Amino acid sequence: MTHPSRSGGRILVDALQAHGVDVTFGVPGESYLDVLDALHDSNIKFIVNRQEGGAAFMADAYGKMTGRPGICFVTRGPGATNASIGVHTAFQDSTPMILFVGQVGSDFVEREAFQEIDYRRMFGQMAKWVAQIDRADRIPEYIAHAFQIATSGRPGPVVLALPEDMLASQAQPADARPYRPVQASPSGAQIAELRALLASAQRPVVLLGGATWHINACADLVKFAEANALPVACAFRFQDLLDNAHPHYVGDVGIGINPKLAQRVKESDLIIALGPRLGEMTTGGYALIEAPVPKQRLVHIHPDPDELGRVYQADLMIASGAAQACAMLAAMEPVDASAWRHTVAEGRAEYEAWQQRPPVFADGAAPLDLWEAVQELRRALPHDTIVTNGAGNYATWAHRFWRYGPMRTQLAPTSGAMGYAVPSAVAAKVVAPSRTVVAFAGDGEFMMTGQELATAVQYGLGVLVIVFNNGMFGTIRMHQEREYPGRVSGTGLHNPDFALLARAYGGHGEVVEATAQFAPALARALAFTREQRLPAVIELRYDGNLITPNATLETIRAQALAKK
Ligand SMILES: Cc1ncc(C[n+]2csc(CCOP(=O)(O)OP(=O)(O)O)c2C)c(N)n1
Ligand SMILES: [Mg+2]
């Protein structure tokens, strides 16, 4: 059978459509003009970004939101290097993503031609697969392969390089079929073993995390947790795998963990880790759960067999997708939970106590009370609001005091990458235009990728960004005061007027400096995002001394000095 002759760019775009791609993010380059040309009359929407870091973060957020690979197009060396932060994040976060990079033509390859990089070496450690498509007739095969790899087992990023002459060449390949992700399932024997471990436990806890989840899997998990009276915690930045309103949700296991929850995990005798990698952040530097042999019995379920036994020698290791495991756990005959049934309400009470007004705002003296601001957000925003953040101490105001709704209501990088908050919010609004999307961003965070507000304006995406302006790279200042008290170095920031900046982009801007100003500012900003379908920024100007909910910089410094 003969097929029509098409350019490489057109074959590529046709392949993307065959796999269900509806949107791509990117920054254009002359290296892939043929793809841009084919996109011109495709059904794929090309969201034009302002910087490739933002584009790659958006592709990651799209991947997290949908479970389908986020697609990103960037140009050669400079575009690829800018985009690398998103590839690294997708790798650490196990997010399905495909980054397409322009490449020099085959006539100049290996001469260090203009902007030439060997992407295999560059992305080797941070992508699941890096390849270069040298023949247009093999594009459908490479693209199908890329989708399979990005979504199967432990999901992650794939990088495909596109030599310029290959894209412009003609070929007549047949299109491939739509991809079908592959996940392993637990065996009946493994579920029986898990059940036996649970039946002999006294203080079990469940820890959720990782990728390959689905809203139905979350419902199955609820069945399993309820039937067996299990307290459920979520790993670092996977807090939306169980609706935080659910009575079995007992908090998050990561940076700034509730000490009561840390104690609960330490004193448990069985941890059922369902999906997380059990990485450094989730395990409190491998101290909360001792490595390599934990004190507790450990059941570790993860989609990648290579991840099992990597750090922890679990009692039971199950290579399985989260959804497959949850389906079998929901169907498992419940065990007698009378020994630990009370720990659900106990854990829940400790979680709720941890969400109460924290010490730094106890005396009511601060002009702007950030805890009150989060309470107002909880009152004003819908339950399914998507909340995003990047890295910085400000994130604790979301992690600890906000209540995440059902999956996907949280977008945050486990890679700890700054700059994720604004692009991920914009991407979330692309995927779910009717949902309310709020980015929590520090002043440092915002300045890394805040220019993507222009993207939000261009496509009519009404996100709300709350900028926590403490005039510093606060996290680093905090560590500085702990390790080198009183010797501030390289952590101060002189900032623009964020509200004015938002207006310059064509959005709405407010500055809030006192608690009572927040609720009306929020109401105006939300109305603007909904009516105008354009972004709004609320800048919270507050005392930088209030560095964490529990401690001020002054006390951290004083304690550090006292130790010296
Ligand atoms: C891309 C990137 N660069 C640097 C860091 C190191 N880092 C982590 S938090 C932080 C400061 C964040 O500042 P800001 O966004 O203002 O939040 P704050 O801690 O002040 O609340 C820095 C520099 C990082 N995680 N990611
Ligand atoms: Mg800051």
Side-chain angles (χ1 to χ4, degrees):
M1 195 177 147
T2 56
H3 299 280
S5 183
R6 293 174 285 173
S7 73
R10 169 124 357 236
I11 298 167
L12 176 66
V13 169
D14 287 349
L16 295 180
Q17 291 192 113
H19 294 296
V21 172
D22 54 358
V23 62
T24 166
F25 304 92
V27 175
E30 71 274 30
S31 56
Y32 66 93
L33 286 175
D34 204 78
V35 175
L36 291 170
D37 184 63
L39 285 168
H40 181 266
D41 31 41
S42 76
N43 297 324
I44 298 173
K45 183 168 187 178
F46 189 110
I47 303 276
V48 182
N49 296 106
R50 300 307 186 270
Q51 208 263 19
E52 292 84 353
F57 277 148
M58 287 197 199
D60 174 276
Y62 179 99
K64 283 191 176 78
M65 286 289 293
T66 63
R68 303 195 304 272
I71 308 294
C72 184
F73 279 93
V74 299
T75 196
R76 306 194 281 208
T81 44
N82 269 348
S84 60
I85 191 167
V87 178
H88 176 251
T89 291
F91 191 79
Q92 289 233 303
D93 289 21
S94 308
T95 310
M97 169 177 166
I98 304 174
L99 176 73
F100 291 99
V101 194
Q103 178 60 301
V104 301
S106 52
D107 41 350
F108 294 165
V109 76
E110 289 292 347
R111 288 182 180 172
E112 198 197 320
F114 183 56
Q115 305 178 334
E116 182 180 0
I117 294 182
D118 178 346
Y119 301 113
R120 293 185 187 90
R121 279 184 288 158
M122 178 189 162
F123 286 108
Q125 208 199 331
M126 55 172 134
K128 279 188 83 177
W129 183 44
V130 190
Q132 182 162 310
I133 312 182
D134 288 321
R135 287 169 47 155
D137 60 344
R138 290 188 63 191
I139 289 174
E141 171 196 335
Y142 272 81
I143 303 296
H145 190 181
F147 275 85
Q148 283 304 133
I149 289 193
T151 55
S152 297
R154 176 186 172 189
V158 168
V159 178
L160 288 178
L162 309 169
E164 204 173 324
D165 52 342
M166 182 281 293
L167 287 176
S169 71
Q170 296 281 317
Q172 298 176 281
D175 286 321
R177 286 192 211 164
Y179 75 105
R180 282 176 294 180
V182 180
Q183 289 299 342
S185 292
S187 68
Q190 285 172 324
I191 294 293
E193 210 178 324
L194 184 155
R195 188 176 181 279
L197 283 168
L198 183 58
S200 63
Q202 298 295 310
R203 294 177 312 281
V205 292
V206 176
L207 179 55
L208 309 181
T212 75
W213 284 83
H214 183 273
I215 195 84
N216 297 340
C218 297
D220 282 339
L221 180 277
V222 166
K223 271 189 216 157
F224 170 67
E226 286 176 351
N228 295 283
L230 292 163
V232 180
C234 289
F236 180 58
R237 295 187 173 163
F238 291 107
Q239 280 164 266
D240 62 350
L241 295 179
L242 176 60
D243 193 317
N244 298 180
H246 193 279
H248 285 240
Y249 180 80
V250 296
D252 64 303
V253 177
I255 296 174
I257 187 175
N258 179 354
K260 291 269 171 58
L261 178 58
Q263 197 182 343
R264 183 167 295 282
V265 173
K266 275 190 184 154
E267 290 174 0
S268 70
D269 63 348
L270 173 68
I271 299 172
I272 301 177
L274 217 173
R277 281 187 59 232
L278 297 176
E280 181 185 343
M281 292 297 123
T282 299
T283 61
Y286 307 101
L288 186 62
I289 306 173
E290 281 176 28
V293 184
K295 279 195 199 135
Q296 312 85 337
R297 284 184 161 175
L298 175 65
V299 176
H300 194 182
I301 305 174
H302 192 276
D304 183 0
D306 288 349
E307 196 56 38
L308 297 166
R310 180 181 188 157
V311 179
Y312 291 103
Q313 297 179 301
D315 297 86
L316 175 59
M317 305 187 212
I318 304 178
S320 169
Q324 289 72 11
C326 286
M328 290 187 71
L329 291 173
M332 187 189 95
E333 192 189 324
V335 300
D336 173 9
S338 42
W340 63 80
R341 186 172 297 280
H342 63 284
T343 63
V344 174
E346 232 174 58
R348 181 71 190 179
E350 287 165 5
Y351 164 67
E352 288 180 5
W354 182 238
Q355 286 202 319
Q356 297 309 305
R357 176 182 288 280
V360 292
F361 291 117
D363 63 6
L368 175 55
D369 183 330
L370 298 177
W371 181 80
E372 278 295 352
V374 180
Q375 302 313 300
E376 181 56 26
L377 288 168
R378 280 174 52 175
R379 284 188 288 270
L381 298 177
H383 184 59
D384 70 347
T385 297
I386 298 163
V387 173
T388 77
N389 63 264
N393 268 33
Y394 69 88
T396 196
W397 297 103
H399 291 356
R400 178 167 159 188
F401 298 105
W402 174 252
R403 284 196 184 167
Y404 296 92
M407 186 195 167
R408 270 296 177 230
T409 52
Q410 181 181 34
L411 291 172
T414 65
S415 68
M418 285 176 73
Y420 190 78
V422 173
S424 59
V426 174
K429 198 73 182 167
V430 170
V431 175
S434 60
R435 304 258 300 272
T436 303
V437 182
V438 179
F440 279 44
D443 46 340
E445 164 78 31
F446 183 87
M447 291 303 286
M448 289 222 173
T449 48
Q451 76 277 12
E452 297 301 339
L453 276 186
T455 308
V457 170
Q458 180 165 344
Y459 296 99
L461 302 164
V463 298
L464 171 61
V465 181
I466 300 179
V467 178
F468 289 70
N469 183 2
N470 57 1
M472 63 175 99
F473 286 127
T475 302
I476 314 306
R477 174 75 58 84
M478 175 183 75
H479 289 297
Q480 204 159 54
E481 292 288 7
R482 245 179 221 151
E483 307 295 330
Y484 304 95
R487 294 175 57 80
V488 171
S489 175
T491 50
L493 292 173
H494 180 81
N495 285 311
D497 179 323
F498 290 103
L500 206 55
L501 188 60
R503 291 198 283 275
Y505 277 115
H508 173 85
E510 302 249 2
V511 177
V512 168
E513 295 181 273
T515 311
Q517 294 168 351
F518 185 71
L522 177 63
R524 285 189 294 269
L526 282 175
F528 180 86
T529 58
R530 288 169 185 160
E531 285 156 21
Q532 307 294 319
R533 295 173 197 265
L534 289 169
V537 171
I538 297 178
E539 176 190 342
L540 304 180
R541 279 188 203 156
Y542 62 99
D543 179 0
N545 188 37
L546 306 169
I547 192 69
T548 78
N550 294 335
T552 60
L553 279 174
E554 275 165 15
T555 55
I556 291 170
R557 178 187 292 195
Q559 279 168 7
L561 285 170
K563 267 194 209 153
K564 295 231 163 208

